[in-house]
Amino acid sequence: MKLLKLVPDDTNIDFLKWRTFAFGISLLLMIASIGLVATKGLNFGVDFIGGQMIRATFTQDAAAPVTELRTKVATLGYGEPTIQRFGKENQVSIRMKLPEGADKKPELANVMAVKITNKLKADYPGVRIDGVDSVSGKVSEELFSKGMLALLAAMAGVSLYIWIRFEWQFGVGAIWSLLHDVTLTFGLFSLLGLEFDLNIIAALLTIIGYSLNDTVVVYDRIRENLMKFRKMDMAGLLNLSVNETLARTVMTSVSISLPLLVLVFFGPDVIFGFSLAMAFGIIVGTYSSIYQAAPILIWLKVGSHSFVPSESAMPKAERMGESFGAQP
């Protein structure tokens, strides 16, 4: 039986032909994303701006009426609640942002909690309030700062690893592609006004890991080819390396993206932001490993002189590289 191949053997796509155009588009999108975050800002969730979480159990129902509950709580005038099931189907947590002025008057948060719990008891006689937890502004600021530090530490660690394993130019290419992926994801959330909470930080850390994995696969093949084909021009060698890893890249991206897209379109609302961030990050990460991480090696003057030559040769591959005809 013939195996299914998403990418045919011996692909010969001139990816680097569009490197300048792709880099320019990416740079504009990054600037636009930074501008959106700076002007419009992010829609921070309770984790980052403080708020209250009310845990309740609907003892007379097999499953909590999440959609109906969200509508009823929203009518109280404190904004859109974040409601999700936890534990059993009839258990929910209701998260609300702190009302305006709660930093100076903490009692306002308590008044909001009392109104919500009273509403629940009035509309659902069998409801049991399991607890009311508050997240102060100080704690939320600490969560945000630690989340941002986690992102920066992950990107710095990734770059250091690639720097040690390859050359400093590869480290620069890796950190640039990671900045590209994270910046565009920030821009997407700012543009759409989606809630930005700790779940999104987790998604960004996962995106960094995926992007690193994809970039290292391409970089490892580039290093091997630099040792094999010392006379091949750099653009042709990069095209050869990307084409050789293309089947693996496409298969990995498709297999991860399909379940994520199902969650985006058919999954519960509570994980929509996480699913969208992951799906978007996988697509952008795959793109950046080809059009950001690889082309930047040309501009940073990476060459075969830094690597030990190999005795093996592949005339077919050299002809393939020469067929691209691009010079750095």
Side-chain angles (χ1 to χ4, degrees):
M1 183 175 66
K2 191 174 181 180
L3 297 176
L4 173 66
K5 292 185 178 180
L6 297 179
V7 178
D9 295 329
D10 299 324
T11 56
N12 190 0
I13 303 173
D14 191 357
F15 289 104
L16 273 294
K17 177 181 179 181
W18 305 100
R19 64 182 184 271
T20 303
F21 174 78
F23 195 86
I25 293 296
S26 294
L27 189 60
L28 289 175
L29 289 175
M30 289 176 70
I31 294 173
S33 296
I34 293 172
L36 275 172
V37 174
T39 55
K40 186 178 179 181
L42 293 168
N43 179 24
F44 291 115
V46 174
D47 298 331
F48 294 150
I49 63 173
Q52 295 221 348
M53 182 174 71
I54 301 169
R55 290 175 283 112
T57 301
F58 291 79
T59 58
Q60 297 181 359
D61 299 301
V66 174
T67 304
E68 180 183 278
L69 186 60
R70 183 179 292 111
T71 302
K72 290 189 175 184
V73 174
T75 60
L76 295 175
Y78 290 107
E80 189 75 16
T82 300
I83 302 176
Q84 64 183 96
R85 291 188 176 95
F86 73 97
K88 299 179 181 179
E89 287 292 312
N90 64 342
Q91 295 178 319
V92 296
S93 67
I94 305 170
R95 292 187 296 170
M96 300 292 298
K97 296 179 182 179
L98 288 174
E100 294 184 9
D103 290 338
K104 297 180 179 179
K105 295 181 178 180
E107 61 271 16
L108 292 177
N110 296 329
V111 171
M112 178 182 70
V114 170
K115 285 186 177 181
I116 294 174
T117 54
N118 289 340
K119 178 70 173 176
L120 293 179
K121 292 176 181 178
D123 293 346
Y124 305 98
V127 71
R128 184 183 72 232
I129 305 300
D130 297 321
V132 179
D133 302 316
S134 298
V135 179
S136 67
K138 184 177 181 180
V139 172
S140 61
E141 289 177 6
E142 184 177 351
L143 288 173
F144 179 74
S145 61
K146 287 186 176 181
M148 293 299 104
L149 285 175
L151 289 178
L152 294 175
M155 290 191 288
V158 163
S159 302
L160 181 62
Y161 163 74
I162 293 182
W163 191 328
I164 294 174
R165 180 172 176 178
F166 300 98
E167 285 187 321
W168 69 267
Q169 294 97 328
F170 289 81
V172 173
I175 193 67
W176 173 259
S177 63
L178 292 178
L179 283 172
H180 170 271
D181 302 343
V182 172
T183 301
L184 292 191
T185 306
F186 270 96
L188 176 69
F189 272 75
S190 179
L191 177 65
L192 299 180
L194 297 173
E195 184 174 295
F196 191 91
D197 54 19
L198 283 176
N199 291 330
I200 309 307
I201 295 293
L204 289 172
L205 289 171
T206 307
I207 291 169
I208 289 174
Y210 173 82
S211 184
L212 164 67
N213 179 67
D214 206 30
T215 300
V216 166
V217 169
V218 176
Y219 275 179
D220 201 50
R221 185 56 59 89
I222 291 172
R223 181 176 62 174
E224 290 178 7
N225 287 335
L226 280 169
M227 293 188 290
K228 289 180 181 178
F229 314 117
R230 296 172 61 81
K231 294 183 179 180
M232 187 183 296
D233 67 274
M234 193 60 187
L237 188 141
L238 293 179
N239 268 319
L240 169 63
S241 303
V242 171
N243 277 278
E244 287 179 342
T245 58
L246 188 61
R248 180 261 175 205
T249 298
V250 171
M251 181 61 70
T252 303
S253 299
V254 170
S255 61
I256 296 176
S257 297
L258 286 178
L260 287 173
L261 290 174
V262 171
L263 289 176
V264 169
F265 291 107
F266 304 106
D269 293 340
V270 69
I271 62 169
F272 175 76
F274 177 83
S275 304
L276 180 64
M278 286 288 294
F280 180 76
I282 295 301
I283 296 172
V284 172
T286 302
Y287 161 82
S288 67
S289 66
I290 296 174
Y291 280 109
Q292 301 297 309
I296 202 170
L297 299 181
I298 296 178
W299 298 315
L300 293 178
K301 307 297 181 183
V302 173
S304 59
H305 56 80
S306 301
F307 296 88
V308 178
S310 171
E311 294 181 358
S312 62
M314 295 176 62
K316 180 179 178 181
E318 288 197 7
R319 291 196 301 271
M320 181 180 174
E322 291 172 0
S323 70
F324 291 117
Q327 296 293 331

